Every structure is written in structure tokens, then in C-alpha cells.
Amino acid sequence: PDTAALAQARARNGQLTKPPGALGRLEELAIWYAGWRADPRPSIAAPQSIVFAGNHGVVAQGISAFPSEVTVQMVANFRVGGAAINQLAGAAGAQMQIIELDLDRPTADFTQGPAMTEAETVAALRAGWQAVDPQADLLVVGEMGIGNTTAAAALSLALYGGDAGDWTGRGTGLDDAGLANKTEVVARAVALHAPTITDGLDALARLGGREIAAMAGAMAAARQLRIPVILDGFICCAAGACLASTQPGALDHAVAGHCGAEPGHAGLLARLGKEPLLTLGLRLGEGTGAALAIPLLKGAVACLSGMATFAEAGVSGG
Amino acid sequence: PDTAALAQARARNGQLTKPPGALGRLEELAIWYAGWRADPRPSIAAPQSIVFAGNHGVVAQGISAFPSEVTVQMVANFRVGGAAINQLAGAAGAQMQIIELDLDRPTADFTQGPAMTEAETVAALRAGWQAVDPQADLLVVGEMGIGNTTAAAALSLALYGGDAGDWTGRGTGLDDAGLANKTEVVARAVALHAPTITDGLDALARLGGREIAAMAGAMAAARQLRIPVILDGFICCAAGACLASTQPGALDHAVAGHCGAEPGHAGLLARLGKEPLLTLGLRLGEGTGAALAIPLLKGAVACLSGMATFAEAGVSGG
């Protein structure tokens, strides 16, 4: 972040026509945004929402309530504007892109070996990096990929430890037997790979997936482009965790849009040190929870940049 | 609410391209909105935000960090677009009205007698009622009035009991001595009036203020007009509590936009049975916390009305 812009934004915030601190978290959010944009009086005019889609070999282990075909079917739905993220990105004034990542070529089943080769991982990271619009002033990344809560749970367990049950949830709607099987699959996969995992990006290749790597690539590109990011759900945060585990502070340009109902999400947010803006029980992915938080950040920035100061308004100080 | 629209909205929600329940609270919010609008596939196109301003005789007891002149100064700031609510209503696409209620004639000091006569109370209720645009499809009411957290604390104590300290906070920024004095003032006022208070509207007259009565009038009008309401902070909720204490269910057409930092707010929301959409530490009033929640409701309704069904999208069900 730009320290001069941060200081100027903080000074301006202290002069606005409100009691000190009365806008609560909105004040720190707006100042944080000003710092990353290097603009003490910024605006948010061009948010970008990207949905990355990938397929997962681990579905062979029976870990999802929906079949893999749903990934490509939902991509078609995104393209015609029929999904939840279309509505929420539209309502928030965000442009939207859909990036399909080799849907007809799923990752390898990571209970048997690495999900991706190094070349596949780099290609997915690059696809994410290149998808970010350099003119965007806010980024939301979401995903679609049947089986990807299993990948996110395996990544979380590999990066942060604990029990497989701490990180494994019902995803799109598993029953108790399905959840027990999924938990066992996660434990088995991590037992296979953990001894040789060297860092977050290595974990990403072994236990992640193309859409998860692409999200990580997009978030890293946003950092370089000074584009603040709103984190979405469990899977997005698992992608972010791969970056943060590799380089501390790699998500300093990101805030948590929400805490969802998938049980591992709260644990990831805690490990990442991110307090969610919303807690509304979402568990859809696609970027929906992050898109829902765009207007909160817009509102925060509008207050910082648009409010009058006490002096301008002729209002008596407290 | 319209039971046919509720049932149709609920049925439609169950067919949308997402796992059941995956949009969490957004689903119930959208269905609730559809019921009150009697439209199973509604949209939110015309939100209205109204700020009511009033002055309070109880400021003579030294209960505020800011002088009474700030009320009229802030009204001028609202009119030129310089306040926080201007930015947040604008960002949410809401039209905005400012209604001043006899600012040069404060209410009586309610530690000495009733704040308002019956005629004054009715006039303020009517001003609120008449301010609601019948064409609005969502209503946010806010307030400005130096001293009005003291009135809200007194109303809360009178309506729900407990200790004065449970309901009394620092308002715009009292120090410890100021808070102790304010708590004592609230206790003394309620001790004076409680024995003769007959219902919520009677409490409103004795311990409220013109802007608080106007908010209650506007919320009652919205009910009649089938316009859903988003509740704002402690003072707005105290106004709502006067209605709900008089007639159970009087706030069924309202959701809680946020839980603020003023300590009595959480207690009021609990008594009203309202779970807040946001908890971001705001304590400004003006309608800011409610306006910040408008996009959440817009997003919820956009999903219900805009998403494709599984059949329309050709997506395989779970």
C-alpha cells in the first residue's frame, strides 16, 4: 500500500461530519482501499468478477452430491446469465468473465497421485493471472467445479493441520454417509502427499485443481496491479491460503467478503487473519459471497471520498 | 403478506440453479420480500430513504457530547449531500428526503414531564406517515437529533425493563463521567414516567421525540402500503419498539439492517426478534446501517427473480 495515500485518507476520515469512529469498520475499509489504490480519495467504478471452472478427478471417489457434468452445464448457465453470480455481480455493477479450464480433461484423482503436473499448475496460474483486467479497481474471484470442496478441504488440512473432519463439509449437499466417505478421502489424500509437500504452491499442484490455481494466479496478479480483492468462500480462501502459506502477507490486498456455511471456511478465515464482512450462511461459491460484499466496500469508499468535512459543512465539532 | 405470492416464491426458489439452501439467508429474505410485495418475482427499483430531524429538551441535562445546534447544521449538510447517509443512499440507488420537525422548538425535558403533548406526538406521527412515497418499494428511515440516544435508552428501559445501564451508551462520544450522568438521567426519567405509561405510543409521547415519532409513523405507513422496511440503528429500533409494544407483529414487514455499536441496539433487536444482516460497528444513525443493507436485499431479490431454474438451464439436479 501507498503510505502517503494511507496517511492522507486517515487524516481526511478524521475530519468528516460524523463522530470519530461512528462508521465502524467502514472507516478502516475505506482507508485500506485508498492505500492499495494509492489514492487518498478513491472511487470504485470498475469492479471485475471472474468465475473459473475446472473438473476434478477425485469425483471418482464419490465425494459429491452432483455429477461432474454439472460443471459444464453451469458454465453454460453463467454464459446466459442464469446463475446466482450473474445476478449478484450485475446488482453490484461488476463486469463478469467466465474462464473454463480444460473441463474435458479433469485433474488426476489426488488420492492416487498429484492432481496436476507442474506444467498444468503453471498454465492454470497463468490463466488466472491473465484474466485480470488491469483497468479493474476491485476484483472478485469465484469458482465452479464439482468436487472442489474436497480439494479445498485437502489443501486446508495439508497447510494447517488438524483433523480431516475439521475441514470437510457437505459441499453441495452430501448426506451423513457421503460426508464420512469424503472425510476419509481427504484424510487419505493428505496422508499420501503431506510428507513431500514443500510449500503452498506445491500443495496447490498436488491437492488443488485448475480453477483453484487460477484463482490464486488472479489474486497474485491483482496484488501486482494494486487491485484490492474481496475473498469469496471456502474454495477461494483455500486458493488464497496457498499464496499466504508460500509468502506471508500475500493477501494483504484482500478482505474477506463473507463467512459461509461450509464448516472449513471459518477456520481458513481465522488462519488468514481475516474478519468477514458478512455472515449470511451462503455456501454456493461462484464468487457470490464476495460479490454481495462489493456494495459494502463501495459504500465505505463513497463515505470517505464524498462526505463533507466539519469545516466544509460548518458543523460544530464535538 | 400475500400467502399466494409467498408460496409461489418459495416454490420458485426451490427450482433455481443452486443446491437447496446454498444462498443461506438471502433465500428467506427474498421470499419474505415477495410476500409483502404480493409479487412472486419482484424487483427493487425505488428504495426511499428518509431522515427525520428533531431536537430534545433533555440536552439540558448534559447528556450529549455535541451541542443541539449540530442538529440544524447537519440538516444543512444533508441538504447539500455532505453526510454519510447521502453517500450510502446514493450508492444504494435510493431517493432521499430530509424532514425537519420544529427544530427551533425542542421537546420538553422529559426528566421534568412528558417530552411531547398528545397533539405534538400525533403531528410527528403524521409527518412521518405522510413522508412515505406510495411508489417506493423499500423504505429506510433514519434520524438526526442531538440527545436522541438518551430518548431511545429511556424508551427501551420503559418498554422492556432491566437497568438503565443496559440501555445507555456513549452516543456520539461521551466520556465515563458523561456516561454515568446520562445513565442516571435515563433512570430518573423512567422512574418519573413508568408508573403511568399505558402502552408503546404513550411511552413514545412521554420519553420519545418528534423524529422518533415520525420514524414510527413512517414505518406504520409502510406497513399499510406493503412497503418492506429495513430497520436502522438503536434509535430507529426504539421507534419500532413503540409500535411493536403497542401491537404485536407491527414490524413483521421489517428486517434489521445491522447491529450497531451503541450497546442497547443488540438488546432491542433481541426483544424485537430480529437478526441483523450486518454487524460492522456503526453508531451513526441517519439511516446509514439500513442503507448499507439495501444492496443485500436487492441482491437477494435479484437472485430469486433473475436466476434460471434447473429445467430452464438444462442443469442436472442433485
Side-chain angles (χ1 to χ4, degrees):
Chain A
D2 184 275
T3 52
L6 268 181
Q8 287 173 274
R10 194 173 298 282
R12 176 173 168 76
N13 178 63
Q15 297 162 1
L16 299 176
T17 43
K18 58 176 184 52
L23 283 172
R25 260 193 92 184
L26 297 192
E27 300 186 17
E28 280 307 315
L29 265 182
I31 293 165
W32 164 86
Y33 184 86
W36 282 100
R37 296 299 292 164
D39 180 352
R41 209 166 165 174
S43 62
I44 299 179
Q48 182 184 20
S49 164
I50 314 176
V51 181
F52 297 100
N55 270 323
H56 294 264
V58 72
V59 296
Q61 303 293 324
I63 44 69
S64 179
F66 283 78
S68 266
E69 299 84 78
V70 167
T71 303
V72 72
Q73 292 167 350
M74 280 300 296
V75 165
N77 196 26
F78 295 139
R79 294 208 185 281
V80 298
I85 185 59
N86 298 96
Q87 320 314 317
L88 293 173
Q95 60 155 310
M96 190 173 146
Q97 272 80 45
I98 318 296
I99 311 279
E100 300 172 57
L101 298 149
D102 296 329
L103 295 187
D104 52 354
R105 202 161 57 90
T107 54
D109 178 351
F110 57 60
T111 64
Q112 310 299 312
M116 297 182 284
T117 65
E118 189 179 317
E120 287 171 332
T121 308
V122 169
L125 284 162
R126 181 181 295 121
W129 186 289
Q130 292 175 339
V132 178
D133 178 355
Q135 301 306 313
D137 53 23
L138 183 61
L139 178 68
V140 161
V141 289
E143 43 52 51
M144 176 71 218
I146 295 298
N148 66 11
T149 57
T150 302
L155 286 169
S156 302
L157 179 62
L159 295 174
Y160 299 118
D163 295 321
D166 301 338
W167 300 108
T168 310
R170 295 177 190 275
T172 51
L174 289 174
D175 60 15
D176 288 351
L179 177 61
N181 172 61
K182 181 175 170 181
T183 305
E184 186 275 325
V185 167
V186 168
R188 188 150 42 87
V190 174
L192 174 66
H193 294 285
T196 50
I197 286 177
T198 54
D199 65 9
L201 290 176
D202 186 41
L204 178 64
R206 291 172 179 273
L207 296 165
R210 290 189 182 86
E211 80 281 36
I212 299 176
M215 295 171 93
M219 289 189 270
R223 171 77 173 231
Q224 177 133 328
L225 293 164
R226 290 185 172 282
I227 301 173
V229 170
I230 304 180
L231 299 172
D232 190 43
F234 180 48
I235 299 146
C236 175
C237 288
C242 294
L243 297 176
S245 293
T246 305
Q247 176 155 350
L251 295 181
D252 286 354
H253 66 310
V255 292
H258 79 125
C259 182
E262 186 71 11
H265 194 190
L268 276 189
L269 292 175
R271 305 300 177 107
L272 295 171
K274 305 288 185 191
E275 182 77 24
L277 291 168
L278 292 165
T279 301
L280 295 173
L282 275 66
R283 51 178 173 80
L284 183 56
E286 301 181 1
T288 50
L292 198 61
I294 292 174
L296 303 180
L297 196 50
K298 278 190 171 180
V301 166
C303 286
L304 173 64
S305 298
M307 284 177 71
T309 63
F310 278 103
E312 286 165 359
V315 173
S316 310
Chain B
D2 183 276
T3 52
L6 268 181
Q8 288 172 273
R10 194 174 297 282
R12 176 174 169 75
N13 178 64
Q15 297 162 1
L16 300 177
T17 44
K18 57 175 184 53
L23 283 173
R25 259 193 93 183
L26 297 192
E27 299 186 17
E28 280 307 314
L29 264 182
I31 293 165
W32 164 85
Y33 184 86
W36 282 100
R37 297 299 292 165
D39 180 353
R41 210 166 165 174
S43 62
I44 299 179
Q48 182 184 20
S49 164
I50 315 176
V51 181
F52 297 101
N55 271 321
H56 294 263
V58 73
V59 296
Q61 303 292 325
I63 45 67
S64 177
F66 282 78
S68 266
E69 299 84 77
V70 167
T71 304
V72 72
Q73 291 167 352
M74 280 299 297
V75 165
N77 196 26
F78 295 138
R79 294 209 185 279
V80 299
I85 185 59
N86 298 96
Q87 321 314 317
L88 294 174
Q95 59 155 312
M96 190 172 146
Q97 272 81 45
I98 319 297
I99 311 279
E100 301 171 56
L101 298 148
D102 295 330
L103 294 187
D104 53 353
R105 202 161 57 87
T107 55
D109 178 351
F110 57 59
T111 64
Q112 309 299 311
M116 297 182 284
T117 64
E118 190 181 315
E120 287 171 335
T121 307
V122 168
L125 284 163
R126 181 181 295 123
W129 186 288
Q130 292 176 338
V132 178
D133 178 355
Q135 301 305 313
D137 52 23
L138 183 60
L139 178 68
V140 161
V141 289
E143 42 54 49
M144 177 70 217
I146 296 299
N148 67 12
T149 56
T150 302
L155 286 169
S156 302
L157 180 62
L159 295 174
Y160 298 118
D163 294 321
D166 300 338
W167 301 107
T168 310
R170 294 176 190 275
T172 50
L174 288 174
D175 61 14
D176 289 351
L179 178 60
N181 172 61
K182 181 175 170 181
T183 306
E184 186 275 325
V185 167
V186 167
R188 189 150 43 87
V190 175
L192 174 67
H193 294 285
T196 51
I197 286 176
T198 53
D199 66 10
L201 290 176
D202 186 40
L204 179 63
R206 290 173 179 273
L207 296 165
R210 290 189 181 85
E211 80 281 36
I212 299 176
M215 295 172 94
M219 289 189 269
R223 171 78 173 231
Q224 176 131 331
L225 293 164
R226 290 186 172 280
I227 301 173
V229 170
I230 304 180
L231 298 172
D232 190 44
F234 180 47
I235 299 146
C236 175
C237 288
C242 293
L243 296 176
S245 294
T246 305
Q247 176 156 351
L251 295 182
D252 286 353
H253 66 310
V255 291
H258 79 125
C259 182
E262 185 70 11
H265 194 190
L268 276 189
L269 291 174
R271 306 300 176 104
L272 294 171
K274 304 289 185 191
E275 183 77 23
L277 291 168
L278 293 164
T279 302
L280 295 173
L282 275 65
R283 50 178 173 82
L284 183 56
E286 301 179 1
T288 49
L292 198 61
I294 292 174
L296 303 180
L297 196 51
K298 277 189 172 179
V301 166
C303 287
L304 173 64
S305 298
M307 284 176 71
T309 63
F310 277 101
E312 286 164 0
V315 173
S316 311

